[in-house]
Amino acid sequence: MKFTPKTLDAYKLMHEGILSLARAERNGICCDVDYCKGMIKHLDRQIARMESKLKDSEFITKWRRQYGQKFNMGSNTQLADMLYNVMGIEPTAYTVKDNPSTDADALSSIDIPEIQDMLRIKELEKAKTTYLEGFLREQVDGIIHTNFNLHLARSYRPSTDSPNLANVPSRNPEIKQIVRNAIKARPGHKLVCADFKGIEVGISATYNHDPALIKYVNDKSLDMHRDMAMMLYMLEKAQITKQIRHSGKNEFVFPQFYGDWWKSCASSLWASAHSHTLSDGTPLMKHLTMKKIKTLEQFEKHVEKVEKWFWEDNFHVYTKWKKSWLTEYEKNGYFDTLTGFRCSGVMDRKQVCNYPVQGSAFHIMLQCIIWLDEIMLRDGWDSRICNQIYDDLMIDCHPDEEQLVKDTMNYLMTTRVKEHWQWINVPLEVEFEQTEVDQSWYHKH
């Protein structure tokens, strides 16, 4: 590579970032070894009891009778056949090959006790083997030294492994508690987390300059996720709950920004609708029925119309940018990010439009990590960086330094970085969460 001023700055960001994250690796994060060992034994007993009960259940008996010697309780193909063909249950979601889905989201809406027990067993098994046993395998003297990688992702985003704390469960309250209770700060310390709120949406606006998107980012009285949930589920503002807004955000807005399409979004939204209620307690599915939406096919047609409005009417400047950005990539074989990195090689449409946003959003965090690490070393703080997950930075914080840590992080992440990169044309906002002294990661608030 020929070093131009932009690419040289990009190299320095990676070089200094590797050094800062190497110190975070060395710092590590505390693991409650005794808790992990005790919880693993508890989960083993709990799973054994549930499996024993499940084998004698009515549903499994029918399944075994249907397949005889070929019966395999671990076969998703057999499970799909039992549910959707033998029992005639209407699928709530489909795979990319248009087969009825048996993933957790699709099965969670099926009101068969054995299905819910099977889902819970899988979740408990994963919590035990992937996470708790993984923590014990990787810890040294009660400290986990996660690997932070800056050299693997083509988007110049980070990755973590051994273990991957970025994948620790958060959606299932029970599994979240089981796993996050194993991670804590050093004795006498607390965990303080700083999270860039909506940074990828904001950084997207720095590339596409869509006025509707910029307005959403700048005007705190507006709520894109709530507005889309209202359109998708045909609701009034007063009817929206936190859970319904969450579906609008994570099952439509973000998937759409990352290149998903109406059919896939409709399946996810429809599956979630089965467990949602309106603010007055009315089941969301009952509300949709009143709106003459009774089947997944009818809902898909509705979501298709919403998607068309989303891109052709509301964010039409964003749509124009995606087309021109893709055209330039096809012409040149590469694209350059605002932070000075060049992405080249064979990429699909989603990657071409997502990588610059995802990479640049992380680079903002990485630059703040470098500055914070320098200040900590220079001033001899007892607090230290212990974990980083995309737009979330975790500090093992001494209580006497808590306000200093928060004030410094807030300044770096909202003010200094905008002075450093003046192409950032949207406000940056940080949300803090923390535990009390000696509490686990689960207890952050």
Side-chain angles (χ1 to χ4, degrees), residues 373-427:
D373 181 56
E374 290 173 348
I375 294 169
M376 287 178 163
L377 289 173
R378 183 194 68 202
D379 296 345
W381 289 10
D382 188 39
S383 303
R384 58 188 64 173
I385 299 170
C386 63
N387 192 32
Q388 191 276 320
I389 303 174
Y390 301 125
D391 53 5
D392 192 311
L393 184 61
M394 184 182 291
I395 308 298
D396 185 309
C397 181
H398 190 286
D400 293 345
E401 296 174 345
E402 179 183 342
Q403 197 57 51
L404 174 64
V405 167
K406 289 181 179 178
D407 290 344
T408 303
M409 294 174 78
N410 190 65
Y411 165 70
L412 297 177
M413 296 169 73
T414 64
T415 303
R416 184 175 175 183
V417 76
K418 289 193 68 176
E419 295 170 352
H420 178 71
W421 277 318
Q422 296 186 8
W423 48 262
I424 301 175
N425 64 350
V426 295

Side-chain angles (χ1 to χ4, degrees), residues 146-187:
T146 296
N147 293 330
F148 298 105
N149 308 304
L150 295 183
H151 64 294
L152 299 180
R154 294 178 63 195
S155 62
Y156 296 100
R157 292 180 88 198
S159 65
T160 63
D161 63 74
S162 305
N164 183 1
L165 293 178
N167 281 345
V168 169
S170 59
R171 293 179 62 184
N172 183 306
E174 179 188 19
I175 306 302
K176 177 181 178 180
Q177 181 175 5
I178 289 172
V179 176
R180 294 196 177 197
N181 264 329
I183 303 298
K184 60 182 183 179
R186 288 172 290 159

